[in-house]
Amino acid sequence: MAAELFEGQYVWHPAADDRVLASVCVDVRAGRYRHAHEALAETRADFALRAHRSLVLASEAAGTDLVERWLDEEPSPEAALMWARVAVQRALRAADQRDDRAQALERIALTACDRAAAAAPRDPTPWVAKLAMARLHRLRDPAPQGLLTAPPGPWRLFAHVLSLDPWHREAHHRFLSCFFTRHGGSVNAAWDVAAFLSQRAPADSVLRLLPLVALVESYNPTQLLADRVWEQPQWRSTALAIYHNWLPAVAGYRFTPVLDLAYLAHALVMAQREFEARAVFAAMGPYASRMPWSAFGDPVEQLSRARRACGLPVPGPA
């Protein structure tokens, strides 16, 4: 799906150019779930789209009782999946805020994930939702051979997801995040895991972006020449390889992968490859994501700064 042209303002909505999803988000905010069921039911054979739509819809529904009503009134694999997605979001938010209800919400979320998995045994999405909570427990399965740091982690749960969908994008990102320093990991472990996972993936896979995600996560502005890291040959060549091998595949996506494009555009700008970055911004159209820009300051300012470096227009004063 080709993104729209930039017409002077950024569009921050996570649905991006998935028109069906954007419309359903309005329904969900109004307390209606019928179109949400239809939008998810059509993704039963498209796990990437199913993960994307269910995650965005969960963010809209998490503060309401919509999914509980849906599950009670019209139980289905889609209703069970949405309950799992919402329950996991609530559990993670409570844990991060050190809420007294965190453990109870986590038990509810685990139950919801198990129900969704039982309702659709071939769907990896409920297991990906469960994987999102793995960082709360520091699961310490031994790492497979091939990693220099051999970091323990939720390897068995991750392997089960891969048995259902070997290149599941969200699963790889959820798994990688377990090794971030903010979740008890280390910079070296995160880089090691990111490199291991990306090298397994096909050359034209979006998973080749994982090292760039780990690089942003490790960014420390107090370190000497921190902003020059992306100019190092290994990182510049990583970004250029993704540009040449993955970017051409984006036109075939059913929705614009804004977050992934943003990481690539950021890496290319930081590597002083503005010509290639222009093409990535063109593929993004007007759509924008908070990350990776928010890791470096105000996301609007950082995104606009990057676009200016490429000679592209930015929004004018409000």
Side-chain angles (χ1 to χ4, degrees), residues 11-64:
V11 178
W12 297 94
H13 197 287
D17 52 353
D18 185 339
R19 300 302 186 198
V20 170
L21 178 58
S23 175
V24 171
C25 284
V26 175
D27 271 7
V28 168
R29 286 195 293 272
R32 299 186 293 266
Y33 59 76
R34 186 168 304 279
H35 289 138
H37 171 82
E38 295 170 357
L40 289 175
E42 73 169 355
T43 68
R44 289 180 181 178
D46 186 338
F47 296 142
L49 189 61
R50 191 171 182 82
H52 171 64
R53 285 184 175 177
S54 61
L55 189 61
V56 172
L57 290 174
S59 68
E60 298 284 355
T64 73

Side-chain angles (χ1 to χ4, degrees), residues 7-309:
E7 294 184 350
Q9 296 296 327
Y10 301 134
V11 178
W12 297 94
H13 197 287
D17 52 353
D18 185 339
R19 300 302 186 198
V20 170
L21 178 58
S23 175
V24 171
C25 284
V26 175
D27 271 7
V28 168
R29 286 195 293 272
R32 299 186 293 266
Y33 59 76
R34 186 168 304 279
H35 289 138
H37 171 82
E38 295 170 357
L40 289 175
E42 73 169 355
T43 68
R44 289 180 181 178
D46 186 338
F47 296 142
L49 189 61
R50 191 171 182 82
H52 171 64
R53 285 184 175 177
S54 61
L55 189 61
V56 172
L57 290 174
S59 68
E60 298 284 355
T64 73
D65 67 347
L66 176 73
V67 293
E68 286 83 0
R69 286 194 295 105
W70 181 359
L71 195 65
D72 180 59
E73 295 170 5
E74 295 187 20
S76 66
E78 285 65 43
L81 175 60
M82 284 304 302
W83 183 42
R85 283 296 213 178
V86 165
V88 167
Q89 286 201 14
R90 291 170 180 165
L92 290 174
R93 187 180 304 131
D96 291 340
Q97 295 174 350
R98 301 186 184 279
D99 191 310
D100 291 339
R101 301 169 298 167
Q103 289 188 347
L105 289 172
E106 185 181 352
R107 287 194 294 270
I108 292 171
L110 289 172
T111 298
C113 290
D114 288 342
R115 178 169 177 171
R122 296 183 180 180
D123 183 4
T125 322
W127 296 96
V128 174
K130 183 179 285 190
L131 186 59
M133 291 191 294
R135 64 177 175 83
L136 301 180
H137 298 290
R138 301 289 307 279
L139 297 178
R140 303 184 67 81
D141 305 327
Q145 293 183 347
L147 287 94
L148 295 175
T149 59
W155 290 96
R156 282 183 290 186
L157 178 55
F158 182 54
H160 181 71
V161 177
L162 300 191
S163 72
L164 298 171
D165 184 0
W167 311 120
H168 197 286
R169 180 202 172 277
E170 185 187 342
H172 282 75
H173 282 265
R174 295 289 190 185
F175 182 70
L176 176 60
S177 72
C178 292
F179 301 92
F180 291 164
T181 54
R182 58 189 163 98
H183 295 151
S186 69
V187 170
N188 286 338
W191 281 349
D192 196 12
V193 171
F196 176 76
L197 297 178
S198 68
Q199 288 165 8
R200 290 178 60 252
D204 62 351
S205 170
V206 67
L207 300 178
R208 291 286 177 150
L209 280 158
L210 290 171
L212 300 182
V213 175
L215 186 59
V216 169
E217 182 67 26
S218 68
Y219 174 72
N220 182 352
T222 66
Q223 291 181 340
L224 184 65
L225 302 177
D227 289 343
R228 306 293 295 273
V229 172
W230 284 263
E231 297 176 33
Q232 294 177 6
Q234 70 181 98
W235 298 116
R236 180 175 285 170
S237 63
T238 296
L240 288 173
I242 297 166
Y243 168 81
H244 288 295
N245 295 318
W246 171 67
L247 184 62
V250 170
Y253 278 45
R254 291 186 63 181
F255 62 93
T256 299
V258 180
L259 181 60
D260 297 317
L261 289 167
Y263 272 98
L264 178 56
H266 170 266
L268 290 168
V269 171
M270 296 293 280
Q272 298 187 0
R273 301 296 301 230
E274 290 83 1
F275 174 82
E276 290 85 358
R278 282 178 63 96
V280 181
F281 281 124
M284 291 171 65
Y287 304 105
S289 62
R290 302 290 170 184
M291 285 294 288
W293 316 108
S294 60
F296 302 84
D298 178 81
V300 177
E301 293 177 2
Q302 293 296 318
L303 174 55
S304 294
R305 179 181 177 185
R307 288 181 62 92
R308 288 193 197 97

